[in-house]
Amino acid sequence: LGASTAFPVFYATIKIHKDPWTLRPIVSCSGSMLYALGVWVDTQLQIVATAQRSYFKSSAVLKDQLLRLELPPGAKLFKADAVSMYTNIPTRPAMHDIAAYLRSHAAEFPTINVPALIEALRLVMLNNVFTFGDTYWLQVSGTAMGTPPAPPYATLFYAIHEERSILPAFGDNLFFYRRFIDDVIGIWRPSTWRVDDAANWARLQDVMNSHRGMRWEFSDRCDSIDYMDMQLSIVNGSIVTGLFEKALNLYLYIPPHSAHPPGVLTGLVLGNAHRIYTLCSDPADVRRHLRDLYHRLRVRGHSPGTLLPLFERAAVLHRERLSGSSAARAPTNLRKTIFFHLQHHPGDPPSRDLQQIFSDRISAPPYGRPLAQVRNRDGFRIGIDRMIVAYSRPRNLGNLLSSRVLDERKGPLVSSYVD
């Protein structure tokens, strides 16, 4: 956000994987007037949204749930994708439904101040004013774009309909049903009679499409689908999971000459390897994807001497997780921590040198009082005993060639195009 405005900023990106291309509208709310209130609403609403039966936290959790299932004969997979869910949720009816749900279920969430949450949610959802160039706009319908509580708001909005009209009515056919905001995954248990089965399948689609103007695009019922970042298949009556990668993925990982902190490559390898180990149920599939990841990084210019220790470390971490021997990292005590923000440059001293200087000169000087024991003017100890070097990256070509704040670009003002 620019320093001259306290309002969110609107811009758009292009979905080049769609045919024809479509725009993805984005509103950047960070730092705006209602952002802090939105963060509070998000934390409170998450408590309610994550308690819904259709909710799941991640692909890894979904995989674990699926692998534990004993599928009935003839079971089929299906998925459904909401059409522009955020923008098509009618704001005032949704607010009415969510407020009524919160009031009637207040006893289930004793830590939530329900009246305060309802009022704060109303402020965030009904007052989304953002800028586009030199113009100002008020969003009058749909989920307030870019606001922190948008995901749990959308999750809870449709979960209320699921609990009332979908899960109770289709219990015989919906052997398994989960939803991640606007993406549904289900396992269909066929009815005894084919005519009834076709009618129930059509009725499910009608019921899902009948709520507050929402529309869903359904896949066929089949033995194999891709869902989020997984490939799911039914093999011999059980679910088999693998990694799903989009055909348009160019795997443009950072090259070795990129001006990124060294830890970025470590995180890239360990993170992708963990994703492969976690989401693939077939060991042969794991090996294939790990080979592909290694090959793609080699093509980008990384040497075997750099990559192989990272892949070996990833394998060790995976074995430790399986055996339960991996130690959980202690949470950072932010009250005792300071952050040294620094734009990364390859010619700068490494972070370990900065940490050593902090220890020798400030945190634990050999002939002086440690910083943690120094008292402030009110007599309280400062308590700082740790420094984290927090790197940010320099502006890249994407930042230089595209601008989210149109006032920075030359040309006619946005207001000149508005009647």
Side-chain angles (χ1 to χ4, degrees), residues 9-189:
V9 175
F10 173 87
Y11 64 99
T13 59
I14 300 175
K15 299 181 181 181
I16 63 173
H17 60 285
K18 298 287 187 179
D19 187 17
W21 289 4
T22 59
L23 288 178
R24 178 186 287 109
I26 300 172
V27 174
S28 177
C29 289
S30 180
S32 60
M33 286 187 293
L34 293 179
Y35 180 74
L37 181 64
V39 171
W40 181 82
V41 173
D42 177 41
T43 59
Q44 300 298 302
L45 211 57
Q46 287 281 3
I47 299 172
V48 185
T50 57
Q52 305 306 309
R53 278 198 289 171
S54 61
Y55 173 84
F56 67 94
K57 182 179 180 180
S58 65
S59 296
V61 171
L62 177 63
K63 176 206 170 187
D64 291 341
Q65 294 177 354
L66 291 170
L67 294 186
R68 289 197 297 265
L69 297 177
E70 295 183 6
L71 301 184
K76 297 292 182 181
L77 292 160
F78 74 91
K79 64 178 181 178
D81 181 21
V83 178
S84 302
M85 185 180 203
Y86 283 162
T87 53
N88 285 328
I89 294 177
T91 308
R92 294 189 181 277
M95 285 295 306
H96 175 271
D97 292 350
I98 291 175
Y101 179 89
L102 291 173
R103 294 189 183 101
S104 62
H105 291 77
E108 300 174 24
F109 308 102
T111 62
I112 295 178
N113 185 327
V114 169
L117 177 56
I118 292 173
E119 180 61 19
L121 182 62
R122 185 190 68 81
L123 286 172
V124 172
M125 288 294 156
L126 299 181
N127 297 278
N128 194 28
V129 178
F130 52 86
T131 64
F132 181 50
D134 64 328
T135 62
Y136 292 79
W137 303 81
L138 170 65
Q139 184 177 347
V140 297
S141 182
T143 308
M145 294 187 293
T147 57
Y153 170 84
T155 297
L156 182 58
F157 160 73
Y158 203 76
I160 295 170
H161 178 58
E162 290 168 341
E163 291 293 339
R164 289 176 180 170
S165 305
I166 296 176
L167 297 177
F170 297 92
D172 292 339
N173 293 113
L174 288 178
F175 178 76
F176 183 86
Y177 179 96
R178 294 292 185 273
R179 177 173 54 86
F180 193 84
I181 307 178
D182 58 352
D183 287 306
V184 165
I185 174 72
I187 298 178
W188 183 264
R189 175 168 41 202

Side-chain angles (χ1 to χ4, degrees), residues 85-368:
M85 185 180 203
Y86 283 162
T87 53
N88 285 328
I89 294 177
T91 308
R92 294 189 181 277
M95 285 295 306
H96 175 271
D97 292 350
I98 291 175
Y101 179 89
L102 291 173
R103 294 189 183 101
S104 62
H105 291 77
E108 300 174 24
F109 308 102
T111 62
I112 295 178
N113 185 327
V114 169
L117 177 56
I118 292 173
E119 180 61 19
L121 182 62
R122 185 190 68 81
L123 286 172
V124 172
M125 288 294 156
L126 299 181
N127 297 278
N128 194 28
V129 178
F130 52 86
T131 64
F132 181 50
D134 64 328
T135 62
Y136 292 79
W137 303 81
L138 170 65
Q139 184 177 347
V140 297
S141 182
T143 308
M145 294 187 293
T147 57
Y153 170 84
T155 297
L156 182 58
F157 160 73
Y158 203 76
I160 295 170
H161 178 58
E162 290 168 341
E163 291 293 339
R164 289 176 180 170
S165 305
I166 296 176
L167 297 177
F170 297 92
D172 292 339
N173 293 113
L174 288 178
F175 178 76
F176 183 86
Y177 179 96
R178 294 292 185 273
R179 177 173 54 86
F180 193 84
I181 307 178
D182 58 352
D183 287 306
V184 165
I185 174 72
I187 298 178
W188 183 264
R189 175 168 41 202
S191 304
T192 304
W193 301 103
R194 182 175 298 179
V195 173
D196 293 339
D197 189 61
N200 289 338
W201 174 246
R203 189 162 61 90
L204 171 67
Q205 297 179 59
D206 291 340
V207 172
M208 288 187 64
N209 284 320
S210 66
H211 184 58
R212 303 290 194 191
M214 294 297 301
R215 290 292 177 265
W216 296 81
E217 294 178 345
F218 284 78
S219 71
D220 294 329
R221 294 168 291 174
C222 54
D223 291 326
S224 182
I225 61 171
D226 59 83
Y227 181 75
M228 295 177 67
D229 50 355
M230 286 195 296
Q231 185 72 36
L232 307 175
S233 302
I234 298 177
V235 179
N236 298 325
S238 299
I239 298 291
V240 175
T241 64
L243 195 65
F244 173 71
E245 297 173 311
K246 291 183 178 179
L248 288 179
N249 192 338
L250 300 179
Y251 307 103
L252 299 180
Y253 302 127
I254 58 170
H257 57 268
S258 176
H260 281 75
V264 172
L265 178 63
T266 301
L268 189 154
V269 174
L270 297 185
N272 277 278
H274 175 63
R275 178 167 167 260
I276 292 168
Y277 281 120
T278 301
L279 299 185
C280 297
S281 58
D282 185 351
D285 212 20
V286 171
R287 291 190 293 270
R288 178 174 63 85
H289 283 292
L290 287 174
R291 284 195 300 268
D292 289 344
L293 174 62
Y294 175 81
H295 173 71
R296 289 161 184 157
L297 289 169
R298 288 283 290 117
V299 170
R300 294 294 285 171
H302 296 281
S303 67
T306 301
L307 295 175
L308 290 177
L310 295 177
F311 278 82
E312 291 170 359
R313 182 178 168 190
V316 170
L317 291 173
H318 174 64
R319 289 193 294 268
E320 290 178 351
R321 281 189 290 265
L322 289 180
S323 64
S325 60
S326 58
R329 178 180 297 179
T332 300
N333 188 340
L334 296 181
R335 292 183 179 274
K336 296 183 177 182
T337 305
I338 59 172
F339 292 83
F340 180 37
H341 290 267
L342 184 67
Q343 188 178 89
H344 177 71
H345 189 282
D348 286 343
S351 61
R352 64 176 178 271
D353 291 352
L354 300 176
Q355 293 283 6
Q356 190 63 51
I357 294 172
F358 173 75
S359 176
D360 294 343
R361 305 295 183 186
I362 301 175
S363 177
Y367 302 108

Side-chain angles (χ1 to χ4, degrees), residues 351-408:
S351 61
R352 64 176 178 271
D353 291 352
L354 300 176
Q355 293 283 6
Q356 190 63 51
I357 294 172
F358 173 75
S359 176
D360 294 343
R361 305 295 183 186
I362 301 175
S363 177
Y367 302 108
R369 183 180 300 176
L371 178 64
Q373 297 179 13
V374 175
R375 296 181 182 272
N376 62 19
R377 65 180 183 180
D378 297 321
F380 296 101
R381 287 185 176 179
I382 292 177
I384 299 294
D385 60 8
R386 182 185 182 192
M387 180 181 76
I388 293 178
V389 180
Y391 285 111
S392 62
R393 63 167 175 80
R395 287 169 62 85
N396 59 21
L397 288 176
N399 302 130
L400 297 174
L401 297 177
S402 63
S403 177
R404 298 177 181 180
V405 181
L406 296 185
D407 291 345
E408 298 176 356

